[in-house]
Amino acid sequence: MLVADSARARPRRGLVAGPDFEFFLRRYFTPAEVAQHNRPEDLWVSYLGSVYDLTRLAQEYKGDLLLKPIIEVAGQDISHWFDPKTRDIRKHVDPLTGTLRYRTPWGRFLHVPPQLPRSDWANDFGKPWWQGSRYHVGRLAAKTRTIRIVNTLTSQEHTLEVGALESMWEIVHRYLPYNAHAASYTWKYEGKNLNMDYTLEENGIRDEEEEFDYLNMDGALYTPAILLYFNDDLTEL
């Protein structure tokens, strides 16, 4: 269930209506979040605008030398491996065989056929790991924004990096580790209630990065602040 489906359902939680966070699925992940998953036991990569969790693949082929090139790029974007038109690994004409083969200058990796026929190559894996959606976990946020969230009840403030296309409900989901009652607050910007189905930009919280660049100013000096007002409802998500 995507956030849009959850938002339409609008179950009640005390005084606050919103998506059911028990079944909430993130749509966007920032490059910084992908970069945190950089170990064989927790291995994510991104390519062509999507994010993939290859942890199960790494566990299945643990100890296989063909896994090494993938481990070396754990937590990184590997779009340069792919042809954006075919969404397949880039190909070239092999100078040895004169045939069209996958181009792997970083070393042959899992599910890429050997240069020449070999009796010890197992090709019974079905689709290669980069085809299909079995490892797909979400989209890569092409652009991110930094916001401040201020709890007016406790005066606590947190700074979050969020995807520019995320809805406010998705931002609430990001903020839950800091405040389990986040959905029990009214979220406001410059005195106006935010529409939780809208993005920051759609709520009038403009991305002024280009203006700051044009004026040769450091955009980090100004981070928009969203204020949270408690609704006297102790709903915990």
Side-chain angles (χ1 to χ4, degrees):
M1 182 184 297
L2 295 177
V3 61
D5 298 323
S6 296
R8 278 196 293 269
R10 281 290 181 274
R12 295 290 298 183
R13 295 189 312 270
L15 300 177
V16 183
D20 187 346
F21 281 93
E22 183 179 354
F23 303 103
F24 191 90
L25 293 178
R26 291 270 299 282
R27 292 186 304 164
Y28 293 98
F29 295 88
T30 68
E33 287 177 307
V34 176
Q36 294 173 4
H37 302 271
N38 57 7
R39 305 183 305 279
E41 61 273 14
D42 180 19
L43 198 164
W44 289 21
V45 296
S46 62
Y47 56 88
L48 302 180
S50 292
V51 178
Y52 299 85
D53 181 356
L54 302 184
T55 305
R56 285 188 291 115
L57 181 75
Q59 292 172 344
E60 181 181 354
Y61 290 92
K62 186 176 182 179
D64 193 320
L65 287 177
L66 295 181
L67 183 63
K68 186 173 182 289
I70 298 175
I71 292 176
E72 290 176 344
V73 295
Q76 300 177 35
D77 186 82
I78 55 172
S79 294
H80 58 286
W81 287 18
F82 295 85
D83 182 334
K85 294 182 179 179
T86 64
R87 301 188 69 84
D88 199 3
I89 303 296
R90 292 183 182 274
K91 295 180 179 180
H92 72 136
V93 176
D94 189 303
L96 179 63
T97 64
T99 59
L100 194 64
R101 306 193 62 82
Y102 287 128
R103 182 177 179 274
T104 56
W106 45 86
R108 178 171 159 248
F109 51 83
L110 289 173
H111 300 170
V112 171
Q115 186 178 29
L116 298 172
R118 291 176 52 168
S119 60
D120 61 346
W121 184 61
N123 61 355
D124 56 352
F125 47 78
K127 285 186 177 182
W129 61 263
W130 60 88
Q131 295 181 2
S133 60
R134 61 191 182 278
Y135 300 116
H136 183 267
V137 294
R139 298 182 228 171
L140 185 69
K143 182 173 180 54
T144 63
R145 299 184 58 180
T146 302
I147 58 172
R148 291 183 296 134
I149 299 179
V150 181
N151 186 331
T152 60
L153 179 66
T154 64
S155 299
Q156 291 180 316
E157 178 177 322
H158 296 90
T159 300
L160 299 183
E161 182 186 27
V162 304
L165 296 180
E166 292 181 20
S167 71
M168 292 306 303
W169 282 123
E170 290 174 286
I171 293 174
V172 170
H173 186 264
R174 285 183 178 277
Y175 181 63
L176 287 178
Y178 304 102
N179 184 347
H181 306 288
S184 296
Y185 287 73
T186 296
W187 291 52
K188 294 187 177 187
Y189 177 71
E190 294 185 343
K192 297 180 181 179
N193 289 10
L194 298 179
N195 185 324
M196 305 305 281
D197 293 315
Y198 286 2
T199 65
L200 293 169
E201 193 80 26
E202 290 170 337
N203 270 299
I205 307 175
R206 295 180 55 238
D207 183 356
E208 299 178 308
E209 181 180 355
E210 291 187 4
E211 286 89 339
F212 281 113
D213 288 343
Y214 178 77
L215 296 171
N216 198 27
M217 296 174 59
D218 184 2
L221 296 176
Y222 171 72
T223 303
I226 296 173
L227 304 185
L228 274 55
Y229 294 86
F230 190 55
N231 290 329
D232 194 27
D233 170 29
L234 293 179
T235 301
E236 184 168 323
L237 304 180

